[in-house]
Amino acid sequence: MAPQLEKDRPVVIVLVGVTGAGKSTFASIASGRDLVVGHGLDPCTKDPLAVSFNMEGREIVLIDTPGFDDDIRTDVEILGDIAEWLAKHKYISKDNPVDGLILLHPATHSTITGNERKRTRLLQKILGEDAYRRVIIATTMWENLEADEWNTLGGQERIGENGLWERFLMQGSTLTRHQNSKDSAHQIIRQILSMSSRKSKVESFLDDQMLGSLDEEIQLQLEEAFDLTSKILRDHMGQEPPRKWKRSRNPWRLWKYREWELEKQELEKKLEAQEKVVERRNVKAFFKWLF
């Protein structure tokens, strides 16, 4: 018989998703606490934030995380930072692994981008199929859609045959709608509570072979991001304005040159940071105990 969930141990749930998916809103609604919630596409959560509250006699800890598709950090870096933060704050370990993961996705997002495909593939490798049953895919923003608009906005491309989420759903992940209410948020949390009560904890299945495969995937994505930034910088350098504009008395020319110079400096800093990440990324340390 599977061991019961210890009543004195908090239930830890990680919230992930793109910027603007509603992670901070979900944590705020579920906990009844006023969190800083963004209303645009700029990242609201810069670092993970643990939100603790009591629900039906249990302590629930929701980990609000930075959004994917960030302009500064790659999804690989964000996932690594999340895992590093969880380990640092002792939310993941052999004795206290995470109970579940809620992937929030705006139903209004129609196009499946290359980044989303890479991110989904990476998540699948990090978790391993045995942990898929602890993943809940919660679609959001339904108040902004017409009744049957989901199917025309790429819904079937995610949940249909050969869809983006097919592997998750075939191996036990749950797909649900979050209706932006406290009752809806609590119902989603109850699904993870139920699984944790009925099933033993999922230990890490990242053996050496899987870690090697994961390492290759991460390294590939980091190198692709590095190459893209390099190309953008090369293209930018090819658009260099005349050097005499640097000291021009014409305000427009002077402004254009300074704008070009600032963008060049930002690209160089980003490239240097990405190069360091490519060199030092320690996959095993970051992901060893995730789920």
Side-chain angles (χ1 to χ4, degrees):
M1 181 177 177
Q4 297 297 303
L5 183 65
E6 306 94 323
K7 295 295 183 182
D8 59 346
R9 184 182 63 74
V11 177
V12 180
I13 302 170
V14 179
L15 308 177
V16 297
V18 296
T19 297
K23 300 181 299 298
S24 297
T25 300
F26 184 97
S28 180
I29 290 174
S31 65
R33 294 174 55 183
D34 292 328
L35 306 179
V36 176
V37 177
H39 296 285
L41 294 178
D42 292 330
C44 176
T45 304
K46 301 296 184 182
D47 297 301
L49 173 69
V51 182
S52 179
F53 62 101
N54 291 320
M55 176 180 147
E56 300 174 2
R58 296 304 312 276
E59 181 185 358
I60 309 295
V61 178
L62 298 179
I63 309 294
D64 187 15
T65 65
F68 298 128
D69 283 346
D70 184 62
D71 289 336
I72 299 174
R73 290 181 292 173
T74 66
D75 290 344
V76 173
E77 291 175 88
I78 290 171
L79 281 167
D81 290 342
I82 291 171
E84 186 177 25
W85 186 94
L86 289 171
K88 177 182 177 181
H89 291 81
K90 303 187 186 305
Y91 285 112
I92 48 175
S93 66
K94 276 186 175 180
D95 301 322
N96 188 36
V98 170
D99 289 272
L101 181 144
I102 300 175
L103 170 61
L104 291 114
H105 175 80
T108 51
H109 279 209
S110 57
T111 304
I112 299 178
T113 64
N115 275 347
E116 186 179 1
R117 291 188 186 281
K118 292 177 183 177
R119 179 170 63 245
T120 303
R121 191 170 69 237
L122 187 59
L123 271 174
Q124 290 170 341
K125 289 190 175 184
I126 290 171
L127 300 176
E129 290 187 353
D130 195 73
Y132 289 2
R133 68 178 186 267
R134 293 182 178 275
V135 175
I136 295 180
I137 302 172
T139 50
T140 61
M141 312 297 178
W142 285 97
E143 63 273 17
N144 298 324
L145 289 182
E146 298 295 333
D148 297 324
E149 203 172 358
W150 161 253
N151 288 332
T152 62
L153 285 177
Q156 288 303 314
E157 293 179 30
R158 289 183 168 84
I159 64 175
E161 186 176 357
N162 299 319
L164 185 68
W165 297 334
E166 184 184 31
R167 283 188 61 193
F168 276 130
L169 300 175
M170 292 290 288
Q171 296 293 331
S173 296
T174 301
L175 177 66
T176 188
R177 294 188 182 190
H178 173 46
Q179 301 294 354
N180 203 30
S181 68
K182 187 172 185 177
D183 286 344
S184 177
H186 282 195
Q187 184 57 40
I188 292 170
I189 293 171
R190 284 190 194 100
Q191 295 180 58
I192 293 176
L193 274 171
S194 175
M195 285 187 290
S196 293
S197 297
R198 291 184 288 105
K199 299 178 180 179
S200 60
K201 299 293 292 186
V202 177
E203 296 294 343
S204 172
F205 281 82
L206 297 185
D207 55 22
D208 290 339
Q209 181 178 357
M210 187 178 293
L211 279 169
S213 175
L214 178 60
D215 197 1
E216 291 174 5
E217 178 70 30
I218 289 176
Q219 195 69 20
L220 174 64
Q221 292 194 26
L222 286 172
E223 289 173 358
E224 286 178 353
F226 178 83
D227 290 343
L228 178 60
T229 304
S230 299
K231 181 181 182 304
I232 294 172
L233 179 58
R234 288 195 303 272
D235 291 345
H236 183 72
M237 295 296 291
Q239 299 168 6
E240 181 180 7
R243 290 190 176 276
K244 61 184 180 181
W245 287 13
K246 188 174 184 178
R247 296 179 177 83
S248 175
R249 294 184 179 181
N250 183 312
W252 181 85
R253 290 181 175 180
L254 182 61
W255 173 75
K256 289 296 291 183
Y257 191 91
R258 288 177 177 173
E259 183 184 54
W260 178 89
E261 185 69 31
L262 284 173
E263 188 171 348
K264 171 176 168 284
Q265 292 173 5
E266 288 298 316
L267 285 167
E268 288 174 339
K269 282 167 49 178
K270 183 176 181 179
L271 197 63
E272 183 180 357
Q274 286 180 334
E275 186 174 24
K276 289 179 180 178
V277 171
V278 170
E279 291 175 352
R280 67 178 168 78
R281 178 59 69 199
N282 185 338
V283 179
K284 186 173 292 190
F286 285 163
F287 296 120
K288 188 173 183 181
W289 300 118
L290 189 57
F291 283 81

